Amino acid sequence: MSSPSPSEGVRDGLRRLDGYLYWQAELAEARSEATAFCETLPWLTTAERRELEEQYTRARVEMSKAVTRRIANRCVELRMEYETRYRNLRRRTIALSLAGCCLLLTVGELLRR
């Protein structure tokens, strides 16, 4: 088994960095939403506000994880579906091309007689 090429390593690192940055933005957005929500409840004590912000953020993060998993799973399903369709289309195209070549060769042979 060969080791990945440097360009594959770079691509993998960039994908990981992109995922990390995406998730950090998601966490920041969840915290921001939690703070904005708690600001609509002025009667909360500081401890209550902190607890509610943590619970809201946790719930929002769990929802984001679930949505991200669903999207990732659907991407895998679509990729498999499209790869299957592509393989079938390629087989049909090759078969039709071969049939066309055989037909041309046969017609050419008949015309030479």
Side-chain angles (χ1 to χ4, degrees), residues 43-87:
W43 59 86
L44 294 175
T45 65
T46 303
E48 291 171 332
R49 179 181 305 272
R50 191 175 313 120
E51 178 64 26
L52 186 57
E53 283 179 0
E54 287 175 14
Q55 287 179 8
Y56 185 104
T57 301
R58 232 183 339 268
R60 170 69 160 59
V61 165
E62 288 304 313
M63 182 192 67
S64 294
K65 284 180 184 178
V67 168
T68 302
R69 283 188 198 110
R70 276 197 304 274
I71 291 170
N73 290 338
R74 183 64 180 142
C75 287
V76 170
E77 291 170 2
L78 286 173
R79 181 177 184 168
M80 289 171 34
E81 183 179 326
Y82 287 130
E83 285 176 351
T84 300
R85 286 182 182 185
Y86 175 75
R87 270 193 307 275

Side-chain angles (χ1 to χ4, degrees), residues 2 11 23 35 40 51 59 66 83-84 98:
S2 64
R11 268 192 297 252
W23 194 248
T35 301
T40 66
E51 178 64 26
E83 285 176 351
T84 300
L98 289 174

Side-chain angles (χ1 to χ4, degrees), residues 93-107:
T93 302
I94 291 171
L96 286 172
S97 297
L98 289 174
C101 288
C102 289
L103 180 65
L104 286 174
L105 288 172
T106 303
V107 168

